[in-house]
Structures are given as structure tokens and as C-alpha cells.
Amino acid sequence: MAKLDIQIQKKKMIKPSTPTLNHLRTLKLSYFDQGAPRMYVPILFHYLPSSVGITERCDKLQKSLAEMLTMFYPLAGRFSEDEFSILCNDEGVEYVETKVNTDLAEFLHQGPKNIELLDDLLPTDLPSSPLLGIQVNVFNCGGLVMGIQISHILADGFTLGTFVKEWARISLTGMTKGCLPISFGGLSSLFPTRVQSGPQFAAPSNRDPNIVTKRFVFDALAIAKLRNRTNSSATFRRPTRVVAVMSLIWKVLVGISLAKHGHARDSHLLFPINLRGKSNLPSLEHALGNFYVTVVAALEANKSRKELTDFVSVVGGKTRDIAAGFSNANIDDITSACVTYGTEVLSKLGQKDVDNYPSTSWCGFPWYGADFGWGKPCWVSSVSKNYEGISLLDTKNGDGIEAWVSLKEDDMAEFERDPEILSSTSNRKLHLIPQGIDI
């Protein structure tokens, strides 16, 4: 399967089921929105065939999405010309339905091996520049894959997760009552945009043909072994699942860089930390929008970094610093700290002859609970990237981690055959089709 045979069946704008009130027609962006990458954030939800007909499923998705947009009304708007606010004008979100000329079982066996196949399941032709795009891909067997692209300027992982969770609940129950308290604008009132000078972060706009993305699965046993490898006498507590996996990947990448260049280079692992629940400000616990800080775990070239413990110490130490620094912070403290961290990130990204590895983790978000009325997803996946980086997602059972690694082709060849990666990752074949079920 070199390329998917996909035909667009329907393309339309979905608008809120009731017009947005006049006093909500303009949403100011926050300082955190201002610093978010100008890019769409993608995710795919894969569903096995259901007794619920395709027409009924698609109708249910459209209706519930329109109802959902009355609460997430900024997603149906457009950016203003100054890009400091959103015009909540109910222009709508892009909704696409496609027919995929293959069976889901065949695709699921191929998709993990050929990550680029997944890209075709996302809404990519978005001429109206919407803040949200949805593509519902229907396979010959009745299986369904829903691709979502959401503007990072308005949403981080928490906000996207909240949107999917509530949309699925409305679709499943047919009720809008009982939703989580949903409110936009809280962050912008506390953290308004600022006049910024100097270079700003921008995600690559063109695909680099030398970048390849591959998926590596760490099961529960492998993760437990990684966590147990750290020095028990160290001054830090046992690392989390995410810290252990991310530290190992970073360690391997540092080794590849050393072999390639013939000498050690400064190495930086960049990763975002969700700030919800980190401060004593209860109003920020469920804040929607972007509310995270990107930090840098740094290892200098002249420092010894041979053991996994060395990397865990740096990554874990950085996450603990954030927790300690924000626990009693007020609004001014948070703003000042985030400006400092942001300046450090831009400084590292601007350096030459160093290695920077952007990374993110969506572990812990309830992606596999997204039941729209025909069962929970059999797989929740990422897609390929056009820049070097690492993304982590939970496996379906919740105790493993899928690492989606994007590297230059020659570096990926070294990464794949690294002994520590080979011993820590299981067979990447997906076991998503229940035995006895013919799809």
C-alpha cells in the first residue's frame, strides 16, 4: 500500500448551533497564546466497524459538533488582522468526509510501518484558514478514522483533550447538560499579550524530505526496567514513565551525535510543562487556551553523560524545578518566570553547532475514552513530522508508551539499531483487531 486511495465525499463548514452572543464576539489572546507555534496540532482517532450505520455516525458527528461549538465558540471564528485576538464570528470549522478504498484491517497493518499514510487522513486543504478542521475517513469495511487539526495558537494538549472529551460526551448522550465548566478569556485577563522584540519561534512550513518519522513502543515491563536502572542513591526520586522514556531517547540521540561528529556537542531537550495545577490559583485549574511553559534540559559538551541516570537527573530536575517554583507563585511571578524560560528556549534554538530536540508528551490525557456512540477508539495516533522531534502517547492499555520519533534519515537508521532501543521497544506491529472479528 504505497498510497491511500481517498475520495472526498463531502466538504462543508459547521457553524455553532446557536449564534455566539454579541459580548463574546471578540476573544483576546493571552501571553501564552502569543508564544505558541503558528501551526496546526494533529491527532487521529481510529474506530473499528460498528453496528451503527455510517450515515447515522456522520450525522451524529455533525450535529454534536455544531452543539459543541456553542461552548467552544472561538474555534468557529478567525484570527483578527493584528493576531492579538480572535473574531468569534461563527464562520465555522472545516468538516470533510472521505471514502477510503481499503479495509481498516489492512490499513492498520500498514499504517504503523508507513507513517506517511496517516497524513492523508488529516484535513489539509483549509482555504478559509479555520482554527479547527475535522476529516471523517470511512473505510470499505465500515471502519472510521477521524482526523483533527486544531490551531496551536488557541489550544494546547489539555484544551484539545477537553474539546474531544466533551464533544464525544455530547455525541454519545445527546445532551449538553453536565459539561465541564467551559470558559475562554480567563488566561488573557490574567496574562495579556506583550510587546515582543527579537526572533520568535516558528515551526518549519515546508516538509524536509530528509526527515522520517517512526513509531517505537515501550511496554510496561520495558518502562519498569528503565525506571529501575536509575541510581537508587541519587538525590532524586524514581522517575516517572515519561521522564524515563524521554531520557533514554535523549541519551541515544546524544550517542548518535557523538559518533557522527567525532566529538561531544551541547545538547538540549526542549519540552513543554502543563502549568495547570502547578500554582495555588484554583481559577487556572481548567483554563482553556495555551497554558504551558517550554523548558530546556541542557547537557554541556564537556560534562560526562554516559549513564541513563545522568539524563534522568537533568530532565527530572527540570520538571521538579517548575513544580517548586510555581507552587506559591502569583500572577507576576508566573509571567516573569515564563518570559525567562521563553528567552532561554529562543537562545538555544538560535545557537549553532548544538543539538536541539523538541519533544512533547500527551501521556495521561483521556484520548482512549473518546466514545462518540460507536465504541472507544482502537488506536489513537500521531502523524509524521517535517522537523526533528519526539512525541509521546499512551498505548491503549495505558501502561505503555508510543514514542513517535522524527529524525534525519541517517540518524534514524542509527537510532533504530541502537542496542538500548532494540532491547527496550517491542514489536511495532499493531494488535488492534480482536480475534474472531472479520472487518
Side-chain angles (χ1 to χ4, degrees):
M1 189 188 299
K3 187 174 178 61
L4 289 176
D5 178 11
I6 300 180
Q7 294 89 36
I8 293 178
Q9 305 294 305
K10 178 185 294 186
K11 193 169 186 179
K12 62 187 293 189
M13 302 297 294
I14 302 288
K15 301 185 178 185
S17 57
T18 56
T20 299
L21 298 176
N22 287 334
H23 72 281
L24 299 176
R25 286 275 169 163
T26 300
L27 174 69
K28 293 182 178 179
L29 296 179
S30 74
Y31 166 74
F32 296 96
D33 299 326
Q34 185 182 13
R38 270 43 184 171
M39 59 185 287
Y40 285 104
V41 178
I43 191 168
L44 295 174
F45 294 85
H46 306 248
Y47 294 91
L48 296 176
S50 166
S51 58
V52 181
I54 286 296
T55 300
E56 182 180 348
R57 279 186 274 173
C58 292
D59 288 346
K60 185 186 285 278
L61 282 173
Q62 293 178 68
K63 180 181 178 182
S64 58
L65 177 58
E67 293 172 348
M68 186 64 183
L69 289 174
T70 64
M71 294 177 286
F72 277 75
Y73 57 91
L75 292 177
R78 295 294 184 271
F79 288 117
S80 63
E81 291 186 2
D82 62 15
E83 293 194 345
F84 286 113
S85 61
I86 294 173
L87 303 177
C88 305
N89 55 10
D90 297 343
E91 190 169 332
V93 305
E94 296 260 10
Y95 176 87
V96 182
E97 288 179 13
T98 75
K99 176 68 175 176
V100 186
N101 189 27
T102 189
D103 287 336
L104 185 59
E106 180 183 359
F107 170 72
L108 291 178
H109 289 309
Q110 292 291 327
K113 299 176 184 177
N114 303 305
I115 299 299
E116 291 75 14
L117 291 177
L118 298 169
D119 300 351
D120 295 335
L121 303 178
L122 288 171
T124 54
D125 182 19
L126 304 173
S128 69
S129 299
L131 303 183
L132 175 67
I134 308 291
Q135 183 165 311
V136 180
N137 305 279
V138 179
F139 288 72
N140 289 340
C141 59
L144 181 152
V145 177
M146 183 165 65
I148 298 177
Q149 296 248 58
I150 193 167
S151 172
H152 204 333
I153 305 178
L154 185 61
D156 57 12
F158 175 89
T159 300
L160 175 58
T162 301
F163 171 79
V164 171
K165 178 181 178 181
E166 292 304 306
W167 180 19
R169 193 190 62 78
I170 292 175
S171 178
L172 177 65
T173 65
M175 299 173 60
T176 56
K177 293 182 179 179
C179 284
L180 290 173
I182 294 172
S183 177
F184 286 90
L187 286 172
S188 59
S189 64
L190 298 174
F191 305 99
T193 55
R194 302 162 59 94
V195 176
Q196 296 182 334
S197 59
Q200 303 300 313
F201 174 76
S205 56
N206 298 318
R207 175 168 293 281
D208 185 340
N210 295 318
I211 299 293
V212 295
T213 300
K214 296 199 175 182
R215 166 182 167 271
F216 301 85
V217 180
F218 296 78
D219 63 23
L221 179 60
I223 294 173
K225 289 180 178 178
L226 288 178
R227 298 177 72 190
N228 291 334
R229 275 177 56 185
T230 56
N231 189 344
S232 60
S233 65
T235 57
F236 55 89
R237 62 180 76 98
R238 190 167 183 248
T240 65
R241 298 162 57 246
V242 168
V243 169
V245 170
M246 198 68 81
S247 298
L248 176 70
I249 293 174
W250 188 22
K251 177 180 183 294
V252 172
L253 292 174
V254 167
I256 292 172
S257 175
L258 173 61
K260 181 167 67 172
H261 297 287
H263 60 85
R265 308 202 322 171
D266 289 353
S267 187
H268 309 129
L269 183 73
L270 298 82
F271 57 95
I273 295 179
N274 181 10
L275 294 179
R276 298 168 183 85
K278 298 292 190 296
S279 73
N280 58 1
L281 302 172
S283 62
L284 302 179
E285 191 79 18
H286 301 288
L288 295 178
N290 288 287
F291 192 38
Y292 67 91
V293 60
T294 299
V295 299
V296 180
L299 282 171
E300 297 178 2
N302 59 358
K303 296 290 179 65
S304 173
R305 57 272 186 87
K306 295 181 179 180
E307 304 300 328
L308 179 61
T309 301
D310 301 328
F311 294 83
V312 168
S313 177
V314 176
V315 178
K318 183 64 70 171
T319 58
R320 286 192 306 280
D321 289 346
I322 292 293
F326 283 79
S327 59
N328 294 310
N330 58 31
I331 299 299
D332 291 338
D333 295 334
I334 295 174
T335 302
S336 177
C338 290
V339 169
T340 299
Y341 284 121
T343 302
E344 181 185 18
V345 168
L346 291 173
S347 172
K348 300 300 185 188
L349 290 174
Q351 292 179 6
K352 295 182 179 180
D353 300 321
V354 302
D355 297 317
N356 292 313
Y357 302 107
S359 62
T360 189
S361 170
W362 279 0
C363 295
F365 290 134
W367 306 117
Y368 281 97
D371 182 354
F372 288 84
W374 44 86
K376 297 178 180 180
C378 65
W379 187 34
V380 178
S381 77
S382 185
V383 295
S384 69
K385 301 288 193 300
N386 62 342
Y387 55 89
E388 292 183 286
I390 306 134
S391 299
L392 303 186
L393 284 166
D394 286 320
T395 55
K396 185 179 181 181
N397 59 16
D399 59 8
I401 289 177
E402 293 188 7
W404 294 67
V405 182
S406 301
L407 297 171
K408 292 179 180 177
E409 200 165 356
D410 54 346
D411 292 339
M412 179 61 77
E414 296 299 324
F415 186 85
E416 282 188 295
R417 59 173 172 251
D418 181 88
E420 292 194 279
I421 294 300
L422 290 172
S423 63
S424 299
T425 56
S426 58
N427 189 323
R428 280 176 269 163
K429 182 178 179 181
L430 284 178
H431 300 282
L432 303 176
I433 313 302
Q435 291 185 351
I437 295 181
D438 182 10
I439 68 172

